[in-house]
Amino acid sequence: MKGRNTYHFRESIITLLKTKWVGPYLLLPPMLAFMVYAESYLSAHGITGIFTMEQRTVLAIWNGSLLLTLIAGISSCLFFSGIWESGWFRNTLALPVSRSSGFWGPYLAVLSIVSVIFILTTGAVLAALPEPGRFPLFTIIAESYIPVVWAVSMGAFLGILTTGTAGSMFFTALLLLGFLTGLPIVRLPEWIYAVIPPVGRIMTLGLVYPQGLIQIVILILHSAFVLILGRFLYGIGSKRR
């Protein structure tokens, strides 16, 4: 992207680096630390099963991913809704800049910031744990990154479709539903998993082939669908201004 195509991206990055938008991500370290401590405490007292080092590592990475997915999804709904409804953004449509960059610029800006936070979070988790042993660590990290991308894509779609508050509430409910349907005790018809984002299913089946791969593909398709639909709605809305 060069010149006029990077205008919205650069402006979005500047906005995202303000305390209002960076602040919520500062909640991630203490929340993650509490979850890891609680799981270790329950395991040590026999309330849950005894976790191996590999299980602790996988669980810690997924804890970080789910927390970041929740925060990124809510923040994205609020950010996209706010920026696309702002007077500043409406004024930029009169500038000699690409209208499509008005959608892709903010989206890539949010995804870039969230990706950096994901890398820092995952790196901190791995640095805090002893040698995790021999298991597909890269695969687990890649799988846990996909829900984060889905959260930003869903936030962009909901930011176009509704208000930031309503979008945040819907996203939280959808994420919770997607997590709960992945629990072994939940039995639902298979077709429902093509509608509900299989976040929980990826956690439980991520390393099982081919079931885990199928869930990953489904969530990627979810992300692509809502992103394309959001871009379509953005195009309709921008032509009316």
Side-chain angles (χ1 to χ4, degrees), residues 158-231:
L158 293 174
I160 285 286
L161 187 64
T162 184
T163 64
T165 302
S168 299
M169 295 175 63
F170 179 84
F171 172 82
T172 303
L174 186 62
L175 176 61
L176 180 61
L177 184 61
F179 173 75
L180 293 178
T181 53
L183 298 179
I185 60 174
V186 178
R187 301 298 182 195
L188 296 173
E190 284 297 321
W191 66 267
I192 291 182
Y193 298 112
V195 179
I196 300 172
V199 177
R201 300 265 284 185
I202 293 179
M203 289 184 62
T204 56
L205 299 173
L207 296 180
V208 179
Y209 183 84
Q211 293 90 335
L213 179 60
I214 293 173
Q215 304 308 315
I216 292 171
V217 171
I218 290 175
L219 191 57
I220 291 175
L221 292 177
H222 267 265
S223 303
F225 175 75
V226 296
L227 187 61
I228 293 173
L229 186 56
R231 174 63 181 88

Side-chain angles (χ1 to χ4, degrees), residues 28-47:
L28 185 59
M31 293 171 65
L32 181 58
F34 173 78
M35 292 182 67
V36 173
Y37 170 79
E39 289 159 356
S40 299
Y41 178 85
L42 295 175
S43 177
H45 288 75
I47 301 176

Side-chain angles (χ1 to χ4, degrees), residues 127-175:
L129 293 171
E131 179 62 34
R134 295 182 178 180
F135 69 108
L137 184 60
F138 176 79
T139 300
I140 294 168
I141 293 175
E143 290 174 351
S144 62
Y145 177 66
I146 295 173
V148 177
V149 178
W150 168 78
V152 178
S153 300
M154 182 61 70
F157 167 66
L158 293 174
I160 285 286
L161 187 64
T162 184
T163 64
T165 302
S168 299
M169 295 175 63
F170 179 84
F171 172 82
T172 303
L174 186 62
L175 176 61

